[in-house]
Amino acid sequence: MTQSNYGGTNYQIQTGENNTNVFHPAPPPAIEPRHFQIPFARNPYFTGRSDLLTALHETLGQTGAAALNQAKAIYGLGGMGKTQTAIEYAYRYFQDQPFYEWVLWVNASELTLAADFGAIASGLALPNHEAQKLEEKTAAVSHWLETHDRWLLIFDNADDPALLKPFRPRNPQGRILLTSRAQVFDALEIARPIAVQDMTALEAITFLFHRVDQAPFCNLEQRENSLEWQATEQLAKELGYLPLALEQAGAYMRVKKLSFDKYLKSYRK
């Protein structure tokens, strides 16, 4: 019998007159592939919200039993950018700074909640997911969430938090994030939700310039002497610094190739 060692792997070869036995090392255990199940592309115009994203990850990124059992919610009025913030958080900590191995998305409105949650079974290719009824898929997903870690589950539009109770795993091993117009989440035992605030004036102006594919003025003197900067500043203010309103205005200006000054005059009419 001869032994050879290559790169730390031991191969044993036993030779005889009429037979040769080769003993190979056992194959490594199968590793489940990383999975990103979000129905939206990353927003290339996402601007600001750095403090909010940092606060979110400081909470969701904690370790220990207390952190695992605590979901986090961000709330605010419609058009505040809650969904876009959740999307950016998911991409950032799955792709840019990998923290999660699985990212799962559920539209938590009353009409879609059960179906979206059940669809996770298909996305994860859980056993018998094609043959299972919706209730069985829901149970299978809950079991998976309780036996795997390093996942992020996002419930978007969770405006009625009580609806989520049957879908929240009892002993989650990953992290849960909600976006909602509600402000109280006692039904889910979520304390201290984070309010999504208006964009700052500078964030709103920077967003508008990026949305129409222009570089914002960096020099203070240029800003003070520029009608475009002044028009952008006034437009952002009149739109209430709301991300959705800013997005609609920026998209329209880009398609129509309008200046900020012309759009502002038209908007005021």
Side-chain angles (χ1 to χ4, degrees), residues 34 57 89-100 150:
R34 301 172 79 231
H57 197 59
Y89 177 80
Y91 275 95
R92 185 169 298 189
Y93 290 102
F94 181 84
Q95 290 184 352
D96 302 350
Q97 305 170 45
F99 182 81
Y100 301 106
R150 296 182 66 81

Side-chain angles (χ1 to χ4, degrees), residues 146-201:
E146 293 176 357
T147 54
H148 290 72
D149 58 7
R150 296 182 66 81
W151 51 259
L152 171 67
L153 173 59
I154 298 174
F155 287 103
D156 188 37
N157 297 320
D159 298 336
D160 186 353
L163 292 175
L164 271 60
K165 290 185 69 174
F167 302 94
R168 182 177 177 179
R170 295 180 180 178
N171 298 296
Q173 299 301 306
R175 306 295 191 270
I176 298 174
L177 172 62
L178 282 66
T179 74
S180 179
R181 296 187 185 188
Q183 299 183 29
V184 179
F185 301 89
D186 292 346
L188 299 175
E189 300 179 353
I190 297 177
R192 295 185 294 278
I194 301 176
V196 179
Q197 305 291 345
D198 293 337
M199 289 180 121
T200 66

